[in-house]
């Protein structure tokens, strides 16, 4: 089947690293929308799938190159999820209303308050909140992004994460 035109779904993670109350670094990285995320999007919107009403942001500390086949059930071990932060669960991704074919959490950034020194390599968006991965088996991994360069975080750093998803169609 040949479909003319292109449709794209993707996003950008934006990060602010705050140390001692001051922003010391800002960067952004494009993501990979996983096969699982794309299938879930189609199943929920056009099929009879169940909508995930809450999404969460996670970090990883493994030197992991994301692949489309990674899933919610495998991301914690594949990417070596970072859990060295004070929040009891993965921070929630609190979206605002979609507009101009985008949806984002700009108004409510996911915040990680580090409690140990770690080198982190990337972030992901998942439908499960347990940072120990105990509820990941039934979760969906929508997107994952590897930083263009690893970042060194120290205890008491805050990492603020914004994720914006866009959809576009070209004829």
């Amino acid at each position: 089947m040949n479909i003319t035109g292109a449709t794209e779904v993707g996003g950008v993670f934006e990060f602010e690293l705050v140390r001692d109350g001051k922003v010391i670094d800002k960067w952004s990285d494009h993501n990979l929308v996983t096969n699982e995320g794309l299938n879930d999007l189609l199943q929920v919107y056009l099929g009879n799938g169940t909508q995930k009403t809450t999404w969460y942001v996670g970090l990883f500390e493994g030197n992991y190159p994301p692949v489309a086949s990674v899933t919610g059930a495998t991301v914690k071990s594949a990417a070596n999820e970072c859990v060295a932060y004070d929040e009891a669960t993965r921070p929630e991704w609190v979206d605002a209303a979609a507009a101009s074919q985008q949806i984002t959490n700009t108004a409510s950034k996911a915040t990680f308050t580090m409690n140990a020194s770690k080198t982190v390599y990337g972030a992901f968006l998942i439908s499960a909140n347990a940072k120990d991965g105990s509820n990941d088996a039934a979760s969906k991994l929508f997107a994952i992004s590897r930083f263009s360069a690893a970042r060194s975080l120290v205890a008491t750093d805050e990492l603020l994460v914004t994720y914006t998803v866009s959809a576009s169609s070209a004829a």
Side-chain angles (χ1 to χ4, degrees):
M1 179 176 186
N2 185 11
I3 300 174
T4 58
T7 300
E8 295 191 17
V9 175
V12 174
F13 281 94
E14 297 177 76
F15 305 92
E16 293 178 50
L17 178 55
V18 179
R19 185 171 293 155
D20 299 324
K22 296 179 182 159
V23 176
I24 64 166
D25 196 5
K26 287 184 178 187
W27 71 96
S28 63
D29 289 292
H30 288 276
N31 71 267
L32 169 73
V33 177
T34 66
N35 292 341
E36 179 176 70
L38 291 170
N39 287 336
D40 190 56
L41 177 98
L42 294 170
Q43 188 62 34
V44 169
Y45 198 77
L46 298 171
N48 62 353
T50 303
Q51 179 183 4
K52 287 88 189 138
T53 57
T54 310
W55 290 89
Y56 303 90
V57 178
L59 299 175
F60 62 91
E61 58 186 73
N63 189 3
Y64 174 72
V67 295
S69 60
V70 68
T71 67
T74 63
V75 70
K76 180 175 177 52
S77 60
N80 192 18
E81 183 175 1
C82 177
V83 296
Y85 51 91
D86 289 343
E87 291 72 23
T89 63
R90 295 171 178 146
E92 187 175 338
W93 181 76
V94 180
D95 61 287
S100 301
Q101 297 77 51
Q102 292 187 330
I103 192 164
T104 185
N105 69 320
T106 301
S108 183
K109 298 174 183 176
T111 301
F112 295 84
T113 307
M114 302 305 294
N115 59 27
S117 294
K118 290 287 181 177
T119 299
V120 293
Y121 286 85
F124 56 90
L125 188 69
I126 192 167
S127 65
N129 68 345
K131 68 182 187 180
D132 67 0
S134 61
N135 60 354
D136 285 355
S139 71
K140 299 295 182 188
L141 179 68
F142 184 76
I144 187 166
S145 177
R146 182 181 163 130
F147 301 158
S148 55
R151 296 304 200 276
S152 295
L153 308 178
V154 299
T156 73
D157 278 356
E158 287 184 324
L159 185 63
L160 286 65
V161 183
T162 302
Y163 180 60
T164 304
V165 183
S166 301
S168 66
S169 180

